[in-house]
Each structure stands twice: as C-alpha cells, then as structure tokens.
Amino acid sequence: MRAQTQIAHLYRNGLGVEKNSTLARHWYLKAAKQGGAEARFHLGKMYFEGDGVAKDFRRAFKWFERAAEEGYSTAQYRLGAMYELSQGVIQDYAKAAYWYQQAANRGMPQAQFMLADLYYKGQGVPQDLVLAHMWVNLAVSTTRPADKDYNDMVLLRDKLERLMSENQIRTAQNKLESWQPVN
C-alpha cells in the first residue's frame, strides 16, 4: 500500500517518469482500497483541484473524510476548510471547528490557527478569547516567519492580547504549557 502511494506520487509529480495523472489516480485508488489514508487524501486532492479528473468537491470530500476518519491530519484540516467555506457541503461552522480541532490536536499549525479564529469569532464554538489565544500562540510557536500564514497568525495573537486581561493571557499561556499533541 505504501509503495503504491509512492508510485502514484511519482506519476502525479513527474518524478523519474512522465507525469501521468491517470496512472497516479490508478495507483492512489489501489492503495486507498487497501486502507491507505495518505492515498485517500491524495485522491481527494486530485478531485478538489481537478488534477487529471473533473473538479468535484463532493468526491473530494468523500475521500478526505475517509482519510480524516483514520486520523490523517491534513485531511481533517481540509474537511474543516470545506465546511467553513461551503465547498461541496453546506456551510457548518460547528463541523468546521470539529475537524480543525482534530487536526489541531495532532499538531497542525494551520488547523490551530483556523480553530483560534473560530474561537475568536464564536463561529461553531462559543466565543472564547483564552482558547483562541492558546491555539494561535501554539500555531505561531511552530510556524516559521517565512511561512504563508505566519503574519496573519501574529496579527490575530496581537489583536487578542489587546482584548484580553492579563489574567486571561496568563490562563491561555498556562493552557499552552500543558498542551500535548495527540498521535
């Protein structure tokens, strides 16, 4: 299954072989049918992007969901984004928060940032500046300044700190210090 996924990556990216999305899809599907979460995620990504197949958010969602249920954090993050942005599903902030939470618990900074934003806005979860601050601080601490969302993370953290009391900030920092990722 792992080897099949690797072969699919080679075809999808044209690494050492001619790029061939049809063969990539074939090998991902073979691995996905055997329970490969990574292959399921990449099949979903092909449908999400319309890479060698017709763009189809519903099919992408199906594959992402199967990978996410196996604990694949990138798929969990994608499901959160699809629910938040209404891509192939009805917009549902509570489900977005659930999937972001799953990926955030596994240490994914982008999911931590998105979850922080939902807590800040009170979308899908009760508004909670302490949890928003904890999650965005965690994201900032594991993201490099050159990364795509880093500046937005810092802006959210700074905005939260202007709204919070010293006690709330201290509580958020204590939560951050005791946080442990889920495997």
Side-chain angles (χ1 to χ4, degrees):
M1 163 176 45
R2 181 78 187 130
Q4 293 166 336
T5 301
Q6 291 303 315
I7 292 169
H9 289 330
L10 296 176
Y11 279 116
R12 185 159 186 228
N13 298 303
L15 301 171
V17 295
E18 188 173 326
K19 186 174 179 173
N20 187 322
S21 295
T22 302
L23 283 174
R25 184 183 170 283
H26 166 79
W27 285 105
Y28 283 138
L29 189 56
K30 241 173 138 56
K33 287 181 179 179
Q34 296 173 48
E38 182 181 2
R40 289 174 177 172
F41 168 75
H42 284 285
L43 270 172
K45 194 172 175 188
M46 289 182 81
Y47 283 107
F48 188 86
E49 296 171 354
D51 180 8
V53 295
K55 187 180 260 191
D56 186 335
F57 286 153
R58 288 180 188 225
R59 275 191 152 158
F61 180 88
K62 178 188 106 174
W63 287 112
F64 289 153
E65 186 175 45
R66 291 178 72 186
E69 288 169 350
E70 293 177 45
Y72 199 78
S73 62
T74 309
Q76 293 168 333
Y77 169 77
R78 285 285 181 120
L79 285 181
M82 290 182 84
Y83 274 116
E84 183 178 10
L85 303 173
S86 186
Q87 295 173 315
V89 293
I90 295 171
Q91 187 174 51
D92 187 328
Y93 289 112
K95 288 181 180 176
Y98 171 81
W99 286 112
Y100 284 147
Q101 180 83 55
Q102 300 308 303
N105 286 342
R106 286 181 163 73
M108 179 180 236
Q110 298 90 342
Q112 293 164 346
F113 172 51
M114 298 310 295
L115 183 61
D117 192 53
L118 292 180
Y119 274 115
Y120 165 64
K121 294 174 181 172
Q123 292 178 316
V125 292
Q127 185 179 39
D128 189 326
L129 301 183
V130 170
L131 284 176
H133 190 272
M134 186 216 62
W135 284 114
V136 77
N137 254 339
L138 187 57
V140 167
S141 73
T142 58
T143 302
R144 297 178 316 219
D147 288 346
K148 180 181 149 237
D149 293 325
Y150 182 81
N151 290 334
D152 291 334
M153 292 175 186
V154 171
L155 286 173
L156 178 58
R157 182 194 61 198
D158 293 348
K159 183 187 297 184
L160 287 164
E161 287 179 358
R162 287 191 298 275
L163 298 171
M164 296 168 69
S165 69
E166 286 182 32
N167 187 48
Q168 287 175 308
I169 293 170
R170 195 171 22 262
T171 301
Q173 289 169 339
N174 290 338
K175 286 180 180 288
L176 176 61
E177 289 170 12
S178 64
W179 181 82
Q180 293 292 314
V182 173
N183 291 327

